[in-house]
Amino acid sequence: MNYRELYNSKLKTPSEAAQVVNSGDWVDFGCYQGFPTLFDEALAARKAELEDVKVRALLITKPLQIAEQDPDAEHFTYNSWHMIGYERKLSDRGLCKFIPMVFRNLPDYYRRFLTVNVAVMGVTPMDEHGYFNMSMSNSHARAVFDVADIIILEVNEKLPFVHGLENTIHISEVDMVIEGEHEGLTEFPSIVAGPVEEQIAESIVDRMTNGACIQLGVGGMPDAIGKLIAESELKDLGIHTELLVNAYLDMHKAGKITNLNKHDIMRGKSVFSIAHGTKELFDWVSDNPSMCCAPINYVNDLSVIGEIDNFVSINSCIAVDLFGQISAESAGTRHISGTGGQLDFLTAGFKNPRAQSFIALPSTYTDKKGNLHSNIKPTFTGGDIITDPRSQAYTMVTEYGIENLAGASVWERAEKLINLAHPDFREELIESAKKVNVWRQSNKR
């Protein structure tokens, strides 16, 4: 078959492709670097003709025109599976609605429950065999395409080819192709950690051993941990993570990553679902056979993670209450991020006796007025979203130490968590624990 001829027959302008969207449709955009900017602009230009168009995506970093050009949300409703900075601002303006989920189940949500009238994703240019590559934003893309009524690919010449599982789609499966000039890929530099983050990182790294396979979240904490590991004596480390962040590049450049701790087809390979970082990170994953960008139902699968010996999961949260309930996605009712894979990896951490799952947080935060507040709360009363239930709380870390909550009674949890709190708040927390009947008179006062 002449794939180039088939390609040309499906080539459309962004405006022509956007004409397939009808009022009432559900439209899915590719996430992160797979966000289809040209189609988004063309669809936004049709706002006067459309109503009740619902769009789903996640991790959008560039201006979303269907929201920016429809500031009263009269024509489009944008829904995110997981928010980052820009989407958080949209949410504050009422232009982004969160979709609760368990990340490992996301592909199955599509295959079992969801309607996709139009799917649009940024991909690499087609190769000689007729395949497009989903680059660094695999996640749930294949599942979306599997159920979509209409598939539109936006060719982004800036995207690197990345090896992976279910990370391609063939021209024969596609209804339309869009071409056009794109800006450079969005970069996220490493965050300079403060002394508290560095202290927490030291506590965690001290508990790691050679051959550990590491999952990291995003933010100052993982960046601090990556830098510390790069400077440590640890060796023969592996990568199995939903987000491949700059911290892993630091470890790689220090010669720490071998992935020899894996015993299956992924031996020697760094496994991830989305790459999030700098151009240097993107260059590292580009056409690198040691990298595997896989769908989230593989990366976050409990049985897959459970088979990885010496697995270490490190994530952060916003706050924890004295019962051990963990909030990692909202401050009160203000949505910050999402569940992501934190609950997946926390759950999987129990499946292997040698696995460790850490949830880290500074003991305090300072508000805009300069007032100090505890991140360890008596109870959540402000509408905070619970990411991890108390029944699955595991190892908590602050700058004041590490405490394992697994199997602990309510009074033990309160005691352990108060030990992790800033000293200025401990007496207040003890009094609160007494009021809700989770305090035992003990020698830890």
Side-chain angles (χ1 to χ4, degrees):
M1 181 180 289
N2 187 326
Y3 297 125
R4 181 53 56 179
E5 187 176 294
L6 184 58
Y7 178 100
N8 290 336
S9 71
K10 297 182 177 185
L11 193 59
K12 304 291 182 182
T13 67
S15 296
E16 289 173 333
Q19 291 297 317
V20 303
V21 177
N22 298 309
S23 292
D25 274 358
W26 279 98
V27 179
D28 264 79
F29 284 173
C31 74
Y32 193 43
Q33 306 289 6
F35 170 54
T37 56
L38 304 180
F39 185 89
D40 172 50
E41 292 172 2
L43 184 58
R46 289 193 59 211
K47 71 175 185 179
E49 309 165 28
L50 297 168
E51 60 182 25
D52 193 33
V53 174
K54 289 86 61 175
V55 178
R56 285 183 292 243
L58 71 154
L59 303 178
I60 300 302
T61 62
K62 295 182 178 180
L64 182 67
Q65 295 306 319
I66 59 160
E68 300 293 352
Q69 302 304 318
D70 185 22
D72 296 318
E74 296 177 341
H75 308 276
F76 303 104
T77 301
Y78 176 59
N79 310 272
S80 176
W81 294 106
H82 192 96
M83 298 181 195
I84 52 177
Y86 170 66
E87 291 168 304
R88 190 178 308 139
K89 293 176 182 177
L90 286 182
S91 178
D92 290 340
R93 294 162 57 193
L95 298 176
C96 176
K97 307 299 184 185
F98 181 68
I99 318 171
M101 60 117 164
V102 175
F103 210 0
R104 68 179 182 271
N105 293 338
L106 187 52
D108 278 346
Y109 291 164
Y110 281 91
R111 292 185 172 117
R112 294 170 58 186
F113 307 121
L114 300 181
T115 295
V116 180
N117 300 112
V118 182
V120 194
M121 182 175 181
V123 294
T124 66
M126 186 180 74
D127 68 16
E128 61 183 348
H129 305 291
Y131 285 96
F132 302 85
N133 183 261
M134 297 172 200
S135 190
M136 304 176 290
S137 304
N138 191 335
S139 183
H140 58 296
R142 183 69 254 184
V144 174
F145 290 145
D146 285 348
V147 301
D149 298 330
I150 297 173
I151 297 174
I152 302 172
L153 301 185
E154 181 170 312
V155 175
N156 186 336
E157 68 285 359
K158 301 293 198 308
L159 288 173
F161 170 88
V162 182
H163 295 266
L165 299 176
E166 298 184 13
N167 206 28
T168 59
I169 184 170
H170 195 263
I171 184 62
S172 61
E173 303 175 77
V174 177
D175 296 290
M176 299 180 189
V177 179
I178 300 170
E179 292 180 341
E181 193 69 28
H182 290 81
E183 297 178 356
L185 302 177
T186 304
E187 294 187 61
F188 287 87
S190 297
I191 298 173
V192 178
V196 170
E197 286 79 11
E198 290 179 348
Q199 192 172 349
I200 293 172
E202 287 177 5
S203 296
I204 294 173
V205 173
D206 282 347
R207 294 202 171 195
M208 295 173 61
T209 60
N210 293 336
C213 187
I214 304 168
Q215 178 266 323
L216 293 174
V218 66
M221 192 70 66
D223 287 341
I225 288 169
K227 183 175 182 294
L228 198 60
I229 290 174
E231 297 169 352
S232 74
E233 297 299 317
L234 291 171
K235 60 183 180 180
D236 289 329
L237 305 178
I239 298 172
H240 188 100
T241 185
E242 60 186 3
L243 283 178
L244 188 78
V245 294
N246 295 322
Y248 292 111
L249 181 61
D250 292 337
M251 298 180 214
H252 164 72
K253 290 164 69 174
K256 305 294 182 181
I257 305 298
T258 64
N259 286 296
L260 297 179
N261 45 7
K262 300 175 183 177
H263 307 293
D264 59 7
I265 59 171
M266 293 304 174
R267 182 174 171 83
K269 294 184 182 293
S270 296
V271 178
F272 64 100
S273 198
I274 300 170
H276 174 90
T278 63
K279 184 179 184 301
E280 188 177 8
L281 181 79
F282 304 155
D283 291 342
W284 178 36
V285 304
S286 178
D287 200 13
N288 184 341
S290 74
M291 294 291 172
C292 180
C293 187
I296 205 70
N297 56 332
Y298 175 83
V299 176
N300 289 26
D301 184 272
L302 303 186
S303 60
V304 171
I305 300 168
E307 291 299 317
I308 301 174
D309 196 29
N310 201 1
F311 182 75
V312 179
S313 169
I314 307 166
N315 290 285
S316 58
C317 70
I318 297 170
V320 58
D321 75 3
L322 291 180
F323 291 91
Q325 298 182 111
I326 298 167
S327 175
E329 54 196 276
S330 79
T333 57
R334 181 179 182 245
H335 215 88
I336 302 297
S337 57
T339 306
Q342 180 172 131
L343 186 57
D344 297 333
F345 289 107
L346 191 63
T347 305
F350 283 93
K351 293 184 73 68
N352 188 310
R354 292 194 64 203
Q356 300 183 81
S357 292
F358 299 99
I359 301 292
L361 77 162
S363 67
T364 61
Y365 75 95
T366 303
D367 65 22
K368 293 179 180 179
K369 296 180 180 180
N371 299 315
L372 193 69
H373 301 270
S374 177
N375 286 325
I376 298 175
K377 312 289 185 182
T379 58
F380 287 119
T381 58
D384 304 72
I385 304 301
I386 304 304
T387 305
D388 309 317
R390 62 180 182 171
S391 55
Q392 290 185 262
Y394 200 179
T395 308
M396 301 296 304
V397 192
T398 73
E399 68 271 30
Y400 293 101
I402 295 181
E403 294 282 1
N404 183 3
L405 305 186
S409 69
V410 289
W411 65 263
E412 289 175 296
R413 288 162 183 263
E415 199 168 79
K416 288 170 180 284
L417 288 164
I418 290 171
N419 288 339
L420 296 179
H422 190 285
D424 290 355
F425 295 97
R426 290 180 185 175
E427 286 302 321
E428 180 183 331
L429 288 168
I430 288 173
E431 291 307 310
S432 296
K434 290 178 181 178
K435 290 178 183 178
V436 294
N437 199 29
V438 296
W439 186 253
R440 184 188 74 152
Q441 297 303 320
S442 69
N443 59 352
K444 294 186 178 181
R445 297 185 57 80

